[in-house]
Amino acid sequence: TLKCDVDEALSAYHCVTLFDAIGYELYPQDLQEAAGRMGLGVYCTLDLAKAQASGKSVLVVEFRPSPAQATRSGTSELMAAATADGEDAKRWRQRGYNGAVFDGSELVLRSECIRALYRREWHRQEVAWPAMKRIMRQMRDPPLAIDDQSATTDVAWVKALDRLKTYGDRQVSDSRELLEARCQRQASSGRAAGCAVS
């Protein structure tokens, strides 16, 4: 078990193909769990290069493995698995976890623990201030404060996108370092043999 503080927010990259008709705003509840190597879940990575090499849109998910308010399933924490091989590693859901870390930099999550979802990059000219404002409200520690007094010019939009991208990358990097440190602590205590985030 990778112990997480109550309501602690972690971030990861989620790669998905998005249709051109989909606008800037995305909703966490729209993420669909998929069957994969670790069973059913939302598959993410802590590796930016891997996410970019996927050829898909890279989204940032902010999730809370141990939310203050109980989830529908009543689950919490993250399970540490050295690899996705073996049936035991795939039983993270049945064992009451909100997700699992595996293969060094990969994650699989229950969709219900994802609290914020946003695009890492946005290349269209259209601005979407109301959507950006809603995303900021979903985040634990948003990098921007947007209110009725905020400048909503095209230049301000470009700066806000850049700040959000930088913030997201930093949050994923910090999450990776945090999970790696927790894995190493557990491995040194003998409680999580093979646990490694790299």
Side-chain angles (χ1 to χ4, degrees), residues 82-147:
T83 68
D85 300 329
E87 287 305 309
D88 191 47
K90 296 175 185 165
R91 295 183 41 78
W92 60 274
R93 292 178 84 92
Q94 293 88 338
R95 294 175 65 193
Y97 292 100
N98 262 333
V101 180
F102 66 98
D103 289 351
S105 63
E106 304 307 298
L107 291 163
V108 59
L109 304 167
R110 289 179 188 266
S111 61
E112 65 187 344
C113 75
I114 297 172
R115 296 293 184 249
L117 174 70
Y118 55 96
R119 295 169 184 266
R120 184 175 176 273
E121 296 180 302
W122 179 248
H123 299 292
R124 294 190 214 165
Q125 295 300 313
E126 92 187 55
V127 299
W129 285 109
M132 177 77 78
K133 188 175 181 179
R134 283 188 290 277
I135 291 167
M136 294 303 117
R137 282 196 309 255
Q138 294 169 343
M139 299 171 84
R140 177 161 175 110
D141 296 310
L144 303 167
I146 303 169
D147 58 24

Side-chain angles (χ1 to χ4, degrees), residues 40-61:
L40 193 63
V42 176
Y43 284 80
C44 301
T45 185
L46 299 167
D47 185 336
L48 178 58
K50 184 175 184 175
Q52 290 173 319
S54 72
K56 298 179 178 180
S57 295
V58 178
L59 310 179
V60 178
V61 298

Side-chain angles (χ1 to χ4, degrees), residues 19-78:
F19 297 108
D20 290 339
I22 297 175
Y24 180 74
E25 189 166 20
L26 304 167
Y27 302 94
Q29 63 268 26
D30 290 339
L31 284 179
Q32 294 183 2
E33 294 183 348
R37 294 177 49 217
M38 290 287 286
L40 193 63
V42 176
Y43 284 80
C44 301
T45 185
L46 299 167
D47 185 336
L48 178 58
K50 184 175 184 175
Q52 290 173 319
S54 72
K56 298 179 178 180
S57 295
V58 178
L59 310 179
V60 178
V61 298
E62 181 181 286
F63 62 99
R64 298 183 192 165
S66 297
Q69 293 182 342
T71 59
R72 290 185 312 270
S73 61
T75 57
S76 66
E77 309 293 348
L78 294 173

